[in-house]
């Protein structure tokens, strides 16, 4: 659809109104980004609402201070409304999702004459299930409930002190509307093991048949989803919807314009989403829980009924799965070259090129057949139970039994489906491609999947977990998303690697017709900051490096009030902290000392009081924290952020590149390290008024040939390199 004069006028006028309303000046990079997105969307051709132009995306790298969110909102909202398409904004983090919903969209509506509506979309597992909460409170302490045996699923063990009071507080807060049932909006962080007891998934939820449907937090949150102009989602939810075929949770890709903010996370999120695993011994324990549940359920199903027959079939299928899992465990335990040592209580084995040993491949095939049978019979029983909710028909199962047991059987069904995904992935022929041939040809054949096993030992038990994952998400994303979406914009502060988009194109499978732009920053880097490489006697690969860090760090941070020291290893971070904390009491805080919010609050409080504060962090602090102004003046990078060498997915990709005559280190390792390095350095300057310095204690950045590439990928700070 060519951009009409009316749409152009609306975009320009809205931008002027927002600038005037907020009392801020126009930013060159922001204007450039608005124009690029609008031009891209205007070049999409369509017929009767369906895109006719080739698949294409618009990729915009825009650094901190550009005002990315405002740029893509102002450019995309008028176009989406004119087309009658839903604008789906997807983020990688809950924090940005909430910021867009609670701050950015209301701000835009307040300061412009744009007329639009929006809603927040999260997965069912982020919301409270009132039915499960009520059952949790009802069964508290009984441990022998026949009506809702959810303890068989959660197996929570001994209750934590105050847990009942906590659940009662939840119920009271939701009932009084002080809380909306969203896990992320609860005042404190809720531990996963507690939250699992009061949430649900699509297999356990009875939807409109639930007695709590009218007051359901999840359905209340999504009631406007089909009516609004803008849906603010997250990458995980988009991928979950695509896995279900698209359009199951969110608008169909064909009827949506997507904006992927924090888009550099999307390929890894896709890999995680389409990965699969099965812990063998844990699964056998789970099968025992299934057998216990079947015994408890039997009295509620009359002999000879379809439900009772399904129960028998499930019991038989579960025994078949258990027998083959025992054989898989024996095979992997005895015929794998496990490498344990005194320090490590786990060992990993990767199957080169994804090829399984013949005996294990045969057992995987048996496991797939047995697990498929279990999935089928559990699904049949779940359908029987669901049918009992239809009061217009006579049914062999009464409604009370269905309400009690549908969530239980649904949970078992869901987990069995997860197990089947692993066995299906392990039995797919290596060298084939599950996606269509057009995609396979376009991406020049994807690498084989990564397959590996991990054996773990504890004091009184051990387990072997089998894993499978795609090595690249390119064909998955192209086939399921880019080839179907009406349009898609990807933006982030870090999309290029070593100044090029090649790595993103390869990992995300972006269409060839995609547009790519790097928006120039408004920061005056040479005036605002320096990057310093001090003299160091040891390289990070030397045994004495940690000792030199302990010796040198106090001099490096001396005189500064707010310092962030970034490590690539938790172990080394703790080692340095343990050595320095006694000499510098009240100075160092590590990100593991308490929750992230509390760590940052204590750091800010110290700075506000005029005291020095040194934060120690690892990868998540290298990207996900915002400390503007006086709260951060110095970023210290102890070691270049190269990937862990034993990562099986990276190893599989390196193996594939080697076979094609490439250089994995220069094609993967160095570009990926450059992205992480830029993200780490990006913690320093958050506003145009910020100043500071970056210290890199890894001399490889000047001593190795690839070091110059990494140094040149950083913003153009003034450089101070000691000989």
């Amino acid at each position: 659809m060519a951009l009409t004069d009316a749409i152009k006028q609306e975009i320009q006028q809205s931008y002027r109104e927002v600038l005037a309303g907020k009392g801020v000046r126009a930013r060159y990079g922001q204007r450039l980004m608005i124009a690029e997105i609008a031009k891209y969307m205007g070049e999409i051709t369509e017929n009767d609402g369906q895109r006719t132009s080739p698949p294409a995306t618009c990729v915009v790298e825009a650094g901190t201070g550009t005002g990315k969110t405002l740029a893509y909102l102002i450019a995309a909202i008028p176009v989406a409304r004119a087309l009658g398409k839903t604008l789906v904004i997807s983020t990688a983090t809950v924090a940005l999702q909430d910021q867009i919903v609670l701050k950015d969209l209301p701000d835009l509506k307040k300061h412009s004459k744009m007329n639009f509506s929006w809603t927040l979309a999260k997965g069912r597992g982020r919301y409270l299930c009132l039915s499960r909460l009520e059952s949790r409170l009802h069964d508290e302490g009984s441990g022998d409930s026949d009506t809702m045996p959810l303890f068989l699923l959660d197996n929570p063990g001994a209750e934590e002190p105050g847990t009942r009071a906590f659940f009662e507080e939840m119920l009271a807060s939701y009932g009084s509307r002080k809380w909306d049932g969203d896990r992320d909006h609860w005042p404190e962080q809720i531990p996963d093991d507690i939250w699992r007891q009061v949430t649900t998934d699509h297999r356990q939820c009875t939807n409109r048949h639930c007695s709590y449907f009218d007051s359901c937090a999840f359905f209340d949150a999504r009631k406007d989803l089909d009516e609004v102009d803008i849906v603010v989602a997250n990458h995980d939810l988009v991928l979950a919807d695509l896995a279900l075929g698209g359009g199951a949770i969110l608008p169909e890709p064909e009827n949506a314009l997507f904006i992927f903010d924090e888009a550099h996370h999307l390929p890894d999120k896709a890999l995680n989403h389409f990965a699969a695993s099965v812990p063998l011994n844990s699964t056998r324990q789970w099968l025992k829980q299934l057998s216990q549940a079947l015994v408890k359920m039997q009295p509620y199903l009359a002999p000879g009924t379809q439900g009772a027959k399904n129960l028998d079939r499930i019991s038989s299928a579960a025994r078949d799965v258990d027998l083959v899992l025992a054989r898989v465990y024996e095979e992997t335990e005895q015929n794998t070259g496990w490498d344990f040592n005194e320090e490590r209580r786990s060992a990993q084995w990767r199957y080169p090129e994804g090829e399984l040993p013949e005996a294990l491949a045969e057992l995987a095939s048996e496991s797939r057949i047995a697990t498929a049978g279990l999935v089928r019979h559990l699904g049949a029983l779940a359908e029987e139970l669901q049918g009992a909710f239809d009061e217009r028909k006579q049914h062999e199962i009464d409604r009370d039994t269905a309400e009690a047991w549908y969530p239980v059987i649904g949970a078992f069904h869901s987990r069995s489906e997860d197990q089947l995904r692993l066995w299906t992935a392990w039995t797919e022929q290596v060298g084939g491609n599950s996606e269509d041939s057009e995609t396979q040809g376009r991406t020049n054949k994807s690498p084989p999947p990564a397959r590996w096993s991990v054996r773990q030992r504890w004091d009184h038990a051990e387990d072997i977990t089998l894993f499978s994952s795609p090595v690249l998400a390119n064909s998955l994303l192209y086939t399921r998303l880019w080839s179907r979406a009406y349009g898609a914009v990807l933006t982030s502060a870090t999309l290029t690697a070593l100044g090029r988009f090649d790595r993103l194109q390869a990992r995300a499978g972006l269409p060839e017709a995609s547009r790519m732009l790097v928006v120039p920053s408004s920061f005056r880097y040479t005036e605002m900051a320096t990057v310093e490489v001090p003299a160091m006697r040891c390289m990070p690969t030397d045994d004495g490096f940690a000792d030199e860090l302990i010796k040198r760090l106090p001099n490096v941070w001396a005189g500064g009030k707010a310092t962030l020291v970034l490590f690539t290893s938790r172990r080394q971070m703790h080692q340095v902290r343990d050595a320095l904390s006694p000499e510098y009491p009240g100075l160092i805080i590590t990100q593991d000392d308490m929750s992230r919010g509390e760590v940052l609050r204590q750091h800010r409080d110290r700075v506000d009081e005029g005291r020095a504060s040194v934060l120690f962090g690892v990868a998540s602090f290298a990207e996900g924290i915002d400390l503007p102004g006086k709260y951060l003046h110095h970023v210290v990078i102890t070691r270049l952020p190269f990937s862990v060498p034993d990562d099986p997915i990276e190893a599989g990709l390196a193996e594939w590149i080697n076979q094609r005559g490439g250089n994995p280190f220069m094609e993967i390792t160095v570009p990926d390290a450059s992205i992480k390095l830029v993200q780490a350095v990006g913690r320093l300057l958050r506003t145009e008024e910020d100043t500071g310095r970056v210290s890199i204690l890894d001399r490889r950045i000047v001593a190795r040939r690839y070091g110059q590439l990494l140094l040149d990928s950083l913003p153009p700070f003034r450089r101070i390199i000691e000989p």
Side-chain angles (χ1 to χ4, degrees), residues 68-267:
K68 292 187 288 293
T69 310
L70 179 61
Y72 63 64
L73 290 176
I74 282 181
I77 291 173
V79 178
R81 295 192 74 229
L83 288 168
K85 303 296 182 186
T86 304
L87 184 63
V88 177
I89 301 169
S90 178
T91 73
T93 59
V94 168
L96 181 56
Q97 198 177 6
D98 282 342
Q99 177 190 311
I100 292 170
V101 167
L102 302 175
K103 181 179 179 292
D104 296 328
L105 286 168
D107 263 9
L108 178 58
K109 192 157 191 176
K110 175 183 176 183
H111 295 297
S112 75
K113 294 185 176 66
M114 276 190 185
N115 182 27
F116 57 87
S117 56
W118 69 89
T119 191
L120 177 70
K122 295 182 182 179
R124 203 179 311 242
R126 303 307 297 179
Y127 290 97
L128 173 74
C129 171
L130 274 175
S131 177
R132 293 205 68 182
L133 176 60
E134 187 275 334
S135 299
R136 200 73 198 86
L137 287 167
H138 178 267
D139 295 339
E140 184 85 16
S142 70
D144 192 31
S145 169
D146 289 332
T147 55
M148 185 68 106
L150 293 175
F151 67 92
L152 288 170
L153 310 182
D154 302 321
N155 197 24
E159 293 292 338
E160 291 288 329
T163 295
R164 180 178 179 83
F166 179 74
F167 289 147
E168 287 175 342
E169 183 186 359
M170 268 188 168
L171 187 59
S173 296
Y174 186 72
S176 63
R177 297 193 176 276
K178 291 179 181 176
W179 177 48
D180 61 0
D182 184 332
R183 178 182 183 178
D184 303 307
H185 296 165
W186 187 257
E188 294 89 30
Q189 190 169 358
I190 304 174
D192 289 345
D193 59 334
I194 300 294
W195 182 252
R196 274 196 298 270
Q197 299 173 44
V198 293
T199 191
T200 190
D201 61 25
H202 75 287
R203 286 296 187 201
Q204 300 176 65
C205 178
T206 57
N207 294 300
R208 297 182 181 278
H209 303 300
C210 177
S211 53
Y212 294 97
F213 178 78
D214 290 337
S215 52
C216 175
F218 171 69
F219 283 103
D220 184 59
R222 58 173 291 141
K223 65 179 183 295
D224 301 323
L225 208 59
D226 297 330
E227 312 297 328
V228 296
D229 301 308
I230 304 166
V231 175
V232 183
N234 55 63
H235 300 347
D236 289 320
L237 188 63
V238 171
L239 292 164
D241 186 55
L242 295 175
L244 293 171
I249 307 169
L250 299 170
E252 293 178 345
E254 291 81 359
N255 294 317
L257 279 168
F258 289 93
I259 306 280
F260 290 98
D261 204 337
E262 304 175 308
H264 60 284
H265 286 291
L266 190 61

